[in-house]
Amino acid sequence: MRRLLIVLVVLAALLVAADRVGVVVAQNRLASEIQQQLELDAKPDVSIRGIPFLTQAIRGTYKDIRVQLPDVDAGDVQDLSVNARLQGAHVSLSDALGGNVDRIPVDQISGTLLIPYDQLARASGISGLTITREGDSLRLTGSVQVLGRSIKAEAVGRVEVNDGRI
């Protein structure tokens, strides 16, 4: 009876170790794939949450994956920071192991996109525009042309997302 208990404890320890090693390997592989696909300079931070990992991998459905992309360049805007949360990502184990993943269906995705103020001002196309934070609002300072004259203008306002639009 004692031997059986020892064997069960050792087996449980091996399963826990395999689960943790598996999640680290999967996170590193996913981070490398994202870095390659998006041509990023830095490797993103990927965290596959939910225990046990191996049951998620066998089922092909991952409950919660978090991805942080630092210093992303997107056209005219540089140094973006992207944080995404993918809930219910579906990738079969055979596709994941074989590297046959062109797209990943996801039940729900949410995230944040941080744009530096100087990049936002530059992307606006308004020459000389500066954007600074003022409490919960933004202060825009620049020059506008009125009747052929350049006049300094300032505005304070809030940026919100309503119905998916800024």
PDB file of all heavy atoms in Angstrom, residues 1 6 10 36 51 54 97 112 116 131 133 164:
ATOM      1  N   MET A   1       0.814  -1.199   0.000  1.00  0.00           N
ATOM      2  CA  MET A   1       0.000   0.000   0.000  1.00  0.00           C
ATOM      3  C   MET A   1       0.864   1.272   0.000  1.00  0.00           C
ATOM      4  O   MET A   1       0.529   2.247  -0.669  1.00  0.00           O
ATOM      5  CB  MET A   1      -0.919  -0.030   1.224  1.00  0.00           C
ATOM      6  CG  MET A   1      -1.875   1.110   1.255  1.00  0.00           C
ATOM      7  SD  MET A   1      -2.957   1.064  -0.160  1.00  0.00           S
ATOM      8  CE  MET A   1      -4.440   1.605   0.525  1.00  0.00           C
ATOM      9  N   ILE A   6       3.445   6.023  -2.853  1.00  0.00           N
ATOM     10  CA  ILE A   6       4.662   6.676  -3.343  1.00  0.00           C
ATOM     11  C   ILE A   6       4.613   6.813  -4.860  1.00  0.00           C
ATOM     12  O   ILE A   6       4.947   7.860  -5.416  1.00  0.00           O
ATOM     13  CB  ILE A   6       5.924   5.900  -2.888  1.00  0.00           C
ATOM     14  CG1 ILE A   6       6.095   6.039  -1.371  1.00  0.00           C
ATOM     15  CG2 ILE A   6       7.163   6.398  -3.612  1.00  0.00           C
ATOM     16  CD1 ILE A   6       7.169   5.147  -0.781  1.00  0.00           C
ATOM     17  N   VAL A  10       4.657  10.371  -6.908  1.00  0.00           N
ATOM     18  CA  VAL A  10       5.675  10.631  -7.928  1.00  0.00           C
ATOM     19  C   VAL A  10       5.007  10.920  -9.270  1.00  0.00           C
ATOM     20  O   VAL A  10       5.399  11.846  -9.981  1.00  0.00           O
ATOM     21  CB  VAL A  10       6.667   9.452  -8.038  1.00  0.00           C
ATOM     22  CG1 VAL A  10       7.546   9.567  -9.271  1.00  0.00           C
ATOM     23  CG2 VAL A  10       7.516   9.356  -6.777  1.00  0.00           C
ATOM     24  N   GLN A  36       7.806  36.878 -35.218  1.00  0.00           N
ATOM     25  CA  GLN A  36       8.140  36.657 -36.624  1.00  0.00           C
ATOM     26  C   GLN A  36       7.047  37.181 -37.544  1.00  0.00           C
ATOM     27  O   GLN A  36       7.326  37.892 -38.518  1.00  0.00           O
ATOM     28  CB  GLN A  36       8.365  35.176 -36.878  1.00  0.00           C
ATOM     29  CG  GLN A  36       8.699  34.857 -38.315  1.00  0.00           C
ATOM     30  CD  GLN A  36       8.772  33.354 -38.552  1.00  0.00           C
ATOM     31  OE1 GLN A  36       8.766  32.549 -37.627  1.00  0.00           O
ATOM     32  NE2 GLN A  36       8.838  32.972 -39.817  1.00  0.00           N
ATOM     33  N   ILE A  51      -5.101  26.481 -15.238  1.00  0.00           N
ATOM     34  CA  ILE A  51      -4.438  25.249 -14.809  1.00  0.00           C
ATOM     35  C   ILE A  51      -5.486  24.150 -14.815  1.00  0.00           C
ATOM     36  O   ILE A  51      -6.596  24.349 -14.335  1.00  0.00           O
ATOM     37  CB  ILE A  51      -3.844  25.428 -13.394  1.00  0.00           C
ATOM     38  CG1 ILE A  51      -2.772  26.506 -13.429  1.00  0.00           C
ATOM     39  CG2 ILE A  51      -3.286  24.134 -12.857  1.00  0.00           C
ATOM     40  CD1 ILE A  51      -2.186  26.863 -12.089  1.00  0.00           C
ATOM     41  N   LEU A  54      -2.134  21.282 -19.740  1.00  0.00           N
ATOM     42  CA  LEU A  54      -2.167  20.121 -20.646  1.00  0.00           C
ATOM     43  C   LEU A  54      -3.584  19.731 -21.047  1.00  0.00           C
ATOM     44  O   LEU A  54      -3.810  19.321 -22.186  1.00  0.00           O
ATOM     45  CB  LEU A  54      -1.435  18.931 -20.012  1.00  0.00           C
ATOM     46  CG  LEU A  54       0.082  19.095 -19.884  1.00  0.00           C
ATOM     47  CD1 LEU A  54       0.701  17.900 -19.176  1.00  0.00           C
ATOM     48  CD2 LEU A  54       0.719  19.313 -21.246  1.00  0.00           C
ATOM     49  N   LEU A  97       1.357  21.501 -32.489  1.00  0.00           N
ATOM     50  CA  LEU A  97       2.638  20.778 -32.494  1.00  0.00           C
ATOM     51  C   LEU A  97       3.277  20.788 -33.871  1.00  0.00           C
ATOM     52  O   LEU A  97       4.499  20.841 -33.994  1.00  0.00           O
ATOM     53  CB  LEU A  97       2.442  19.338 -32.020  1.00  0.00           C
ATOM     54  CG  LEU A  97       2.094  19.167 -30.545  1.00  0.00           C
ATOM     55  CD1 LEU A  97       1.792  17.707 -30.235  1.00  0.00           C
ATOM     56  CD2 LEU A  97       3.200  19.699 -29.651  1.00  0.00           C
ATOM     57  N   THR A 112      -6.019  46.767 -24.905  1.00  0.00           N
ATOM     58  CA  THR A 112      -5.755  48.193 -24.878  1.00  0.00           C
ATOM     59  C   THR A 112      -4.625  48.504 -25.848  1.00  0.00           C
ATOM     60  O   THR A 112      -3.751  47.674 -26.092  1.00  0.00           O
ATOM     61  CB  THR A 112      -5.341  48.678 -23.473  1.00  0.00           C
ATOM     62  OG1 THR A 112      -4.187  47.955 -23.049  1.00  0.00           O
ATOM     63  CG2 THR A 112      -6.461  48.509 -22.471  1.00  0.00           C
ATOM     64  N   PRO A 116       1.665  56.953 -27.676  1.00  0.00           N
ATOM     65  CA  PRO A 116       2.312  58.132 -27.076  1.00  0.00           C
ATOM     66  C   PRO A 116       1.729  59.417 -27.653  1.00  0.00           C
ATOM     67  O   PRO A 116       1.399  59.496 -28.838  1.00  0.00           O
ATOM     68  CB  PRO A 116       3.785  57.966 -27.457  1.00  0.00           C
ATOM     69  CG  PRO A 116       3.957  56.509 -27.753  1.00  0.00           C
ATOM     70  CD  PRO A 116       2.638  56.054 -28.313  1.00  0.00           C
ATOM     71  N   ILE A 131       0.173  67.530 -27.768  1.00  0.00           N
ATOM     72  CA  ILE A 131      -0.888  66.942 -26.949  1.00  0.00           C
ATOM     73  C   ILE A 131      -0.275  66.596 -25.601  1.00  0.00           C
ATOM     74  O   ILE A 131       0.766  65.942 -25.531  1.00  0.00           O
ATOM     75  CB  ILE A 131      -1.471  65.677 -27.605  1.00  0.00           C
ATOM     76  CG1 ILE A 131      -2.047  66.003 -28.987  1.00  0.00           C
ATOM     77  CG2 ILE A 131      -2.544  65.057 -26.713  1.00  0.00           C
ATOM     78  CD1 ILE A 131      -2.511  64.779 -29.765  1.00  0.00           C
ATOM     79  N   ARG A 133      -1.382  65.673 -21.270  1.00  0.00           N
ATOM     80  CA  ARG A 133      -2.450  65.247 -20.369  1.00  0.00           C
ATOM     81  C   ARG A 133      -2.736  66.354 -19.370  1.00  0.00           C
ATOM     82  O   ARG A 133      -1.830  67.006 -18.867  1.00  0.00           O
ATOM     83  CB  ARG A 133      -2.013  63.984 -19.632  1.00  0.00           C
ATOM     84  CG  ARG A 133      -3.058  63.448 -18.724  1.00  0.00           C
ATOM     85  CD  ARG A 133      -2.615  62.155 -18.097  1.00  0.00           C
ATOM     86  NE  ARG A 133      -3.650  61.696 -17.212  1.00  0.00           N
ATOM     87  CZ  ARG A 133      -3.591  60.578 -16.550  1.00  0.00           C
ATOM     88  NH1 ARG A 133      -2.545  59.804 -16.687  1.00  0.00           N
ATOM     89  NH2 ARG A 133      -4.565  60.221 -15.754  1.00  0.00           N
ATOM     90  N   GLY A 164     -17.637  51.582 -30.463  1.00  0.00           N
ATOM     91  CA  GLY A 164     -16.464  51.189 -31.218  1.00  0.00           C
ATOM     92  C   GLY A 164     -15.787  52.297 -31.985  1.00  0.00           C
ATOM     93  O   GLY A 164     -14.885  52.063 -32.769  1.00  0.00           O
TER      94      GLY A 164
END
